[in-house]
């Protein structure tokens, strides 16, 4: 039992507050002998880093990760890997006025009710800064997966922002890294920019939906009944700040389907079974089938906005609150690399879990 | 780490296959001194029981629960509670023809790939029969919650079946137990009956969506960052057979909202803070706020249908498969009491977890 | 977190009270495809069974184990294995008089203080009957180990009973099953019989020490720092009723050794490294080295004796208590098969844990 | 499941190698609102610190702890507490010659076999330096216990070093901090100094035994059957480097006792039950009774000695090895504050665990 740990065999425990001296992740259960250095992890952090476009918070954090333990001469040793990111740009004074107030839609009031004390600076522990530590941990998972399943590919992208939806017909994975939205459609970028600019100028924020596609995942991952692969993916995504819904394959739309529509028929090929459709999103009975795994989740709009809202403070007084500071107009953007990191950790964890129980041996067909 | 255990402090481990001699749940971490007998648990099982209407499987299982340990003179002792339900109506021969075949959309192929061996009778471990054990465990949780939070109310109901949607304007909780759909709208029952009859006659099945409403939940439950209350609720629901999506509050719709729309403003009342809306679904930063908790999830259509589908068998041969046997045309119906059971377990678990860390003391406002 | 679960990957949860309808173990994490039936497990239970000699309780329990789940056609399926043993000879009336009294040296008072309620019949959950469930779980572990490490051998035996000590010079493993003491020295049996007969006639009981020898254990098991192999073995043995001390290798005697005496020197052989002595008991830094693992533990004398002792009852009255009923004069005897079962579970658990992290690949020497 | 985490509710995960940039502990599950600062923790580290007498390693480490997260304005917030200690005096070159050699009696060979790679500098992860992180975590536990159980007292001391034994008749707790041996007997200090000086001059090392006395521990702590208080204390102590045996109360000597000798008789006093003896060491059935808890353990002699020993290296060559460097002649000395820290963590953990399950309510007597 741990409050701040994710995973079963490959685990990470994040620690740190938005405006403390540092934050990080303690990674345990990593296999030994895997090539790993700070530069490898850094590339994932750089994708998530704030301040890289006008659409993310202007807080300037280099987010340089340091490996404090668990590697030797460029390889993992099987001992805990401590990943530390120092906070350098904590302008605490920005947040002074909300020390006693509860932002509507924010964790402020919940933390106060639960703990009776909270580090209000920048949201403290509930800040999205915590996710930098996840991304660092995800980097370790990616290094191990590169060794164990070289052709595995985990690809996150935005598929919705407010009223704008990704047109699947235009899907082009190569475009994802070429725009500030992790959007796999170059043609839509100008419209998305205009839309978010308008939101921002309106002192508002907006929600988003993100999809993660996991390709070439080995079959057999997932440990039913309560450590199912989809259960763990759902938990992974729901644990990300501001996430309100998670879907696998058809997701909520499955409620409207009939059995004949939903059945992913199977045929045989020289390479093994092939599914004719993928309503299931790559997981049956909580176990991966070898099909593409498709996970989708929604992110609510940033609660910290410049438009005044009615709320109360700790003394129980009713007030109107504007949240100044440097906030993302669409926090869903940065959720993309975070979700990839979580997916990498879940897949690796289940790979190790599966080789514990089955030795990784698969049932034969044909 | 346990594959078949749910929970952190109040835990249950389910065991058993569809056509084995028995199935059950081993409940651990239950507080001592709580009144509990078989009749109390039985009422929850009776709600879930198959064979109670023409819309659920005609398998006739009395689902009588026996308490084999953990109580003494009608009270819990704090030791493990073993709940056993004997299987009595296992017509194994019904399933003989699918021993080697993989039903499209079913866990068959995934179990085979992972384990190399599976009890194919009735779906073995992947059968929805496993959920009887959850409902029994949920009964224990309900008994404890009755003591600890007497006014807590957990209410599940269907809100969608195929193309039919619950009209929120007609919501009437008192109707839920009065029809075969757990539908809180008496006026819609005839239409739902006609719809499902047509599906059934068409040798088809259909998906559904279920909502669970948790009222009077104390604030402060949930242990961020990785044991958040919404994370655990999402995992709980996603672990139920055939579930493909989970939503808290606005759920996937949050992607379309702006920050001003989504902010649940707060005012002060003599009884404490009051929220003016509930987009959050009762949870902020992973912690309950005292508002109603709203969880929704989708259930895919039953994969075992009488309409032939293309698939393969274990020898790698392509076949056409009809799944005979006694299957629910809408397995989502029976998901209602299961979801309530899971919700009860999650709430109790977090209540105990919270009193471990904070002693149940709440931060003060005003 | 589970109160009644042992293990990390291969786990078992025991349940049941001395005089309830049944007791058992829920085994989770067992690899699939392993041959397992009730007869195989039964042989371990038969070794532990009470009523087999005049030196163990005369309670007549057949201790017939039933497998309720987790196997199919004689093989494990990778799903939870429920092992149930029905209680048949619960003479509750024997225990009536101690319902309110606290036996000195017994768990009675501790359970009362903690839980406020206890099943006093036969000691309820604190009865040594709980260990039957462990032995059954150990049988599952033995079945898996037979597959994975065919030449592994786990041998328990008594090495001390009161003032009598095993003479290592007479050690003969073949004798262990030939006498009521699990004593590897036929020549000492008469003296041990006389000694224990005298204790019994004196309405007294006596302590014991047991040693478990694990031969041909693969190197590399144990996950430092807090899942060390010796840590888990110590926890396993200390969790057995009445155990007060646990030793690995030299054990407490290591306090008197010097570094030169204690160093197990190493030389090289064609088969790999060979240690010239085994003060370490086969474990260095929490990891098995391939040497024989040697674990020893003490069992205190049965607290239920016929000689009157001063104590109090639940009403706080001082009384003199004689514990009638059918009690073992040396409960340490039955600890032998229990300890073997615990050792089997620990070794298997670490084997699975190790293949999760390292894939079972060993570092090379030479 | 975590390899490097200790505890169930109040948990800590240690990380770091002897000669890496830093080491530390990630503490999770700490109650909020507890006064805590670096100075409070530092006092415990200072007691353990090497280089404080000629009887401990001459490595000069200030062991300054930094709190990187989890506190705000001098109080814990209920979020993870990261404790970091930077390594400053890592003379790596000292260890160059043992990079390829396996010290007899040391974890070197076991780590190599398991992981295939190890940070050989100073023993890497298997170094006793890891225990600094435990002591820091123990400091957090002590801060919480000061709040929750103000009169609890945890006192560790040496009771044996080689052939020298503490004379219980001379026990004087006030002397423990007044000599380099944590010895509660001033009169014996000169003899212990002479003895250890002789060992050191002889280029040898020696074992030790340590006792920890826990006074005023509340009754009711311990969660049978597999989270017993004595089980967890045994695991805690056995997890400390070089420990080979653990005893509770009578420990291994219980094997020689009869039931009449071992029964701790009870009488009633106005303050509640009183035991007339304490053979049990304060724990019955895995649950604390309110009596003094007595834990004892042995520490083997330091394996790194200047006397040449036969061994092999990684290439499989037989060599003679002298371990230069700065090693403790009796590593047991520094085990005293470590054991106190582990005991504090176990007691706090069970206090929180107990209030989760029972709410801390005790059964009544009288």
């Amino acid at each position: 039992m741990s409050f701040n740990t994710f995973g079963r065999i490959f685990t990470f425990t994040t620690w740190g507050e938005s405006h403390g001296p540092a934050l990080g992740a303690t990674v345990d259960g990593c296999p030994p002998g895997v090539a790993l250095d700070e530069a490898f992890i850094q590339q994932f952090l750089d994708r998530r880093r704030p301040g890289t476009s006008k659409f993310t918070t202007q807080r300037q954090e280099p987010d340089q990760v340091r490996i404090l333990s668990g590697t030797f001469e460029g390889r993992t040793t099987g001992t805990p890997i401590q990943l530390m990111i120092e906070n350098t740009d904590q302008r605490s004074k920005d947040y002074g006025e909300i020390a006693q107030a509860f932002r509507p839609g924010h964790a402020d009031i919940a933390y106060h009710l639960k703990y009776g004390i909270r580090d209000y600076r920048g949201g403290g522990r509930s800040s999205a800064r915590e996710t930098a530590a996840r991304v660092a941990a995800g980097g370790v998972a990616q290094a191990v997966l590169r060794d164990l399943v070289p052709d595995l590919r985990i690809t996150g992208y935005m598929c919705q922002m407010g009223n704008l939806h990704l047109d699947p017909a235009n899907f082009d994975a190569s475009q994802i890294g070429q725009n500030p939205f992790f959007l796999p459609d170059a043609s839509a970028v100008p419209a998305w920019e205009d839309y978010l600019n308008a939101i921002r100028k309106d002192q508002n924020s907006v929600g988003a939906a993100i999809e993660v596609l996991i390709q070439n995942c080995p079959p057999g991952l997932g440990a039913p009944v309560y450590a199912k692969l989809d259960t763990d993916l759902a938990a992974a995504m729901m644990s990300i700040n501001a996430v309100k819904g998670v879907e696998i394959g058809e997701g909520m739309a499955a409620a409207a389907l009939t059995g004949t529509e939903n059945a992913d028929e199977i045929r045989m090929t020289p390479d093994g079974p092939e599914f004719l459709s993928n309503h299931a999103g790559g997981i049956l009975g909580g176990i991966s089938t070898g099909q593409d795994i498709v996970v989708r989740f929604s992110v609510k709009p940033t609660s910290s906005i410049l438009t005044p809202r009615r709320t109360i403070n700790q003394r129980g007084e009713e007030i109107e609150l504007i949240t100044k500071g440097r906030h993302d107009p669409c926090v869903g953007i940065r959720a993309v690399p975070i979700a990839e990191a979580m997916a990498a950790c879940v897949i690796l964890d289940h790979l190790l879990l599966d080789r514990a129980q089955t030795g990784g041996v698969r049932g034969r067909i044909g």
Side-chain angles (χ1 to χ4, degrees), chain A residues 154-178:
Chain A
I154 299 173
T155 312
Y157 42 87
M158 280 184 86
C159 55
Q160 184 185 352
M161 181 174 62
N163 299 323
L164 303 177
H165 292 259
L166 169 67
D167 180 350
N170 293 343
F171 184 93
D172 178 357
S174 72
Q175 290 302 314
I176 293 170
Q178 309 302 317

Short mmCIF file of all heavy atoms in Angstrom, two decimals, chain A residues 154-178:
data_model
loop_
_atom_site.label_atom_id
_atom_site.label_comp_id
_atom_site.label_asym_id
_atom_site.label_seq_id
_atom_site.Cartn_x
_atom_site.Cartn_y
_atom_site.Cartn_z
N ILE A 154 4.64 3.63 -28.74
CA ILE A 154 3.60 4.30 -27.95
C ILE A 154 3.46 5.73 -28.47
O ILE A 154 4.42 6.50 -28.41
CB ILE A 154 3.98 4.32 -26.46
CG1 ILE A 154 4.10 2.88 -25.95
CG2 ILE A 154 2.97 5.12 -25.65
CD1 ILE A 154 4.63 2.77 -24.53
N THR A 155 2.29 6.06 -28.99
CA THR A 155 2.10 7.35 -29.65
C THR A 155 0.89 8.06 -29.07
O THR A 155 -0.24 7.57 -29.20
CB THR A 155 1.87 7.15 -31.16
OG1 THR A 155 2.86 6.25 -31.67
CG2 THR A 155 1.93 8.47 -31.90
N GLY A 156 1.11 9.20 -28.45
CA GLY A 156 0.00 10.01 -27.93
C GLY A 156 -0.25 11.20 -28.83
O GLY A 156 0.68 11.70 -29.48
N TYR A 157 -1.49 11.65 -28.85
CA TYR A 157 -1.81 12.86 -29.64
C TYR A 157 -3.15 13.40 -29.16
O TYR A 157 -3.95 12.67 -28.54
CB TYR A 157 -1.88 12.54 -31.14
CG TYR A 157 -2.58 11.25 -31.46
CD1 TYR A 157 -3.97 11.21 -31.63
CD2 TYR A 157 -1.86 10.07 -31.59
CE1 TYR A 157 -4.61 10.02 -31.91
CE2 TYR A 157 -2.51 8.87 -31.85
CZ TYR A 157 -3.87 8.85 -32.03
OH TYR A 157 -4.51 7.67 -32.29
N MET A 158 -3.39 14.66 -29.46
CA MET A 158 -4.68 15.24 -29.13
C MET A 158 -5.68 14.83 -30.20
O MET A 158 -5.37 14.81 -31.39
CB MET A 158 -4.58 16.75 -29.07
CG MET A 158 -3.97 17.20 -27.75
SD MET A 158 -3.95 19.01 -27.63
CE MET A 158 -5.59 19.32 -27.00
N CYS A 159 -6.89 14.53 -29.77
CA CYS A 159 -7.93 14.24 -30.75
C CYS A 159 -9.14 15.16 -30.58
O CYS A 159 -10.07 15.11 -31.39
CB CYS A 159 -8.34 12.77 -30.71
SG CYS A 159 -8.85 12.19 -29.11
N GLN A 160 -9.11 15.99 -29.57
CA GLN A 160 -10.18 16.97 -29.38
C GLN A 160 -9.68 18.11 -28.51
O GLN A 160 -8.91 17.89 -27.57
CB GLN A 160 -11.40 16.32 -28.72
CG GLN A 160 -12.60 17.26 -28.59
CD GLN A 160 -13.77 16.66 -27.81
OE1 GLN A 160 -13.74 15.47 -27.48
NE2 GLN A 160 -14.78 17.46 -27.51
N MET A 161 -10.10 19.33 -28.85
CA MET A 161 -9.86 20.48 -27.98
C MET A 161 -11.12 21.33 -28.07
O MET A 161 -11.41 21.88 -29.13
CB MET A 161 -8.63 21.27 -28.42
CG MET A 161 -8.33 22.47 -27.51
SD MET A 161 -6.77 23.30 -27.95
CE MET A 161 -7.12 23.84 -29.63
N GLY A 162 -11.86 21.37 -26.97
CA GLY A 162 -13.12 22.10 -27.01
C GLY A 162 -14.01 21.54 -28.10
O GLY A 162 -14.31 20.34 -28.11
N ASN A 163 -14.42 22.39 -29.01
CA ASN A 163 -15.32 21.94 -30.07
C ASN A 163 -14.61 21.35 -31.28
O ASN A 163 -15.26 20.88 -32.22
CB ASN A 163 -16.18 23.12 -30.57
CG ASN A 163 -17.02 23.67 -29.43
OD1 ASN A 163 -17.50 22.90 -28.60
ND2 ASN A 163 -17.17 24.99 -29.39
N LEU A 164 -13.30 21.42 -31.29
CA LEU A 164 -12.54 20.93 -32.44
C LEU A 164 -12.20 19.45 -32.27
O LEU A 164 -11.73 19.04 -31.21
CB LEU A 164 -11.25 21.73 -32.60
CG LEU A 164 -11.43 23.25 -32.75
CD1 LEU A 164 -10.07 23.93 -32.83
CD2 LEU A 164 -12.27 23.57 -33.97
N HIS A 165 -12.43 18.69 -33.33
CA HIS A 165 -12.14 17.26 -33.29
C HIS A 165 -11.13 16.91 -34.38
O HIS A 165 -11.18 17.45 -35.48
CB HIS A 165 -13.42 16.45 -33.51
CG HIS A 165 -14.39 16.56 -32.38
ND1 HIS A 165 -14.54 15.59 -31.43
CD2 HIS A 165 -15.24 17.57 -32.03
CE1 HIS A 165 -15.45 15.97 -30.54
NE2 HIS A 165 -15.91 17.16 -30.89
N LEU A 166 -10.24 16.01 -34.06
CA LEU A 166 -9.33 15.47 -35.06
C LEU A 166 -10.14 14.73 -36.13
O LEU A 166 -11.02 13.94 -35.80
CB LEU A 166 -8.37 14.50 -34.38
CG LEU A 166 -7.50 13.64 -35.30
CD1 LEU A 166 -6.50 14.47 -36.07
CD2 LEU A 166 -6.78 12.56 -34.48
N ASP A 167 -9.82 15.00 -37.38
CA ASP A 167 -10.45 14.24 -38.47
C ASP A 167 -9.59 13.00 -38.73
O ASP A 167 -8.46 13.12 -39.22
CB ASP A 167 -10.51 15.12 -39.72
CG ASP A 167 -11.15 14.38 -40.89
OD1 ASP A 167 -11.37 13.15 -40.78
OD2 ASP A 167 -11.43 15.05 -41.90
N PRO A 168 -10.10 11.82 -38.39
CA PRO A 168 -9.28 10.60 -38.53
C PRO A 168 -8.76 10.41 -39.94
O PRO A 168 -7.70 9.80 -40.15
CB PRO A 168 -10.24 9.48 -38.14
CG PRO A 168 -11.36 10.14 -37.40
CD PRO A 168 -11.46 11.54 -37.91
N ALA A 169 -9.51 10.93 -40.91
CA ALA A 169 -9.08 10.77 -42.31
C ALA A 169 -7.76 11.46 -42.58
O ALA A 169 -7.01 11.09 -43.49
CB ALA A 169 -10.17 11.31 -43.23
N ASN A 170 -7.45 12.47 -41.79
CA ASN A 170 -6.20 13.24 -41.99
C ASN A 170 -5.05 12.76 -41.12
O ASN A 170 -3.98 13.37 -41.11
CB ASN A 170 -6.45 14.72 -41.68
CG ASN A 170 -7.40 15.36 -42.67
OD1 ASN A 170 -7.63 14.82 -43.75
ND2 ASN A 170 -7.96 16.49 -42.30
N PHE A 171 -5.27 11.71 -40.37
CA PHE A 171 -4.27 11.25 -39.39
C PHE A 171 -2.90 11.04 -40.04
O PHE A 171 -2.75 10.27 -40.97
CB PHE A 171 -4.73 9.95 -38.73
CG PHE A 171 -3.80 9.47 -37.65
CD1 PHE A 171 -4.02 9.83 -36.33
CD2 PHE A 171 -2.69 8.69 -37.95
CE1 PHE A 171 -3.16 9.40 -35.32
CE2 PHE A 171 -1.82 8.26 -36.94
CZ PHE A 171 -2.06 8.61 -35.63
N ASP A 172 -1.91 11.72 -39.50
CA ASP A 172 -0.54 11.58 -39.99
C ASP A 172 0.40 11.67 -38.79
O ASP A 172 0.71 12.76 -38.30
CB ASP A 172 -0.24 12.69 -41.00
CG ASP A 172 1.19 12.63 -41.51
OD1 ASP A 172 1.97 11.76 -41.04
OD2 ASP A 172 1.55 13.46 -42.36
N ALA A 173 0.84 10.50 -38.32
CA ALA A 173 1.63 10.45 -37.09
C ALA A 173 2.88 11.31 -37.19
O ALA A 173 3.36 11.85 -36.18
CB ALA A 173 1.99 9.00 -36.76
N SER A 174 3.41 11.45 -38.37
CA SER A 174 4.67 12.19 -38.50
C SER A 174 4.50 13.67 -38.16
O SER A 174 5.48 14.38 -37.94
CB SER A 174 5.20 12.04 -39.93
OG SER A 174 4.39 12.80 -40.82
N GLN A 175 3.28 14.14 -38.13
CA GLN A 175 3.04 15.56 -37.84
C GLN A 175 2.96 15.88 -36.35
O GLN A 175 3.00 17.05 -35.96
CB GLN A 175 1.72 16.01 -38.51
CG GLN A 175 1.81 16.08 -40.02
CD GLN A 175 2.92 17.03 -40.46
OE1 GLN A 175 3.05 18.14 -39.95
NE2 GLN A 175 3.75 16.57 -41.38
N ILE A 176 2.85 14.84 -35.54
CA ILE A 176 2.54 15.07 -34.11
C ILE A 176 3.54 16.01 -33.45
O ILE A 176 3.17 16.92 -32.70
CB ILE A 176 2.47 13.73 -33.35
CG1 ILE A 176 1.26 12.93 -33.85
CG2 ILE A 176 2.37 13.96 -31.86
CD1 ILE A 176 1.21 11.49 -33.35
N GLY A 177 4.81 15.81 -33.73
CA GLY A 177 5.83 16.63 -33.09
C GLY A 177 6.08 17.97 -33.77
O GLY A 177 6.94 18.73 -33.35
N GLN A 178 5.33 18.26 -34.81
CA GLN A 178 5.61 19.45 -35.61
C GLN A 178 4.74 20.64 -35.27
O GLN A 178 4.80 21.66 -35.95
CB GLN A 178 5.42 19.12 -37.11
CG GLN A 178 6.15 17.88 -37.58
CD GLN A 178 7.64 17.96 -37.34
OE1 GLN A 178 8.26 18.98 -37.58
NE2 GLN A 178 8.21 16.89 -36.81
#
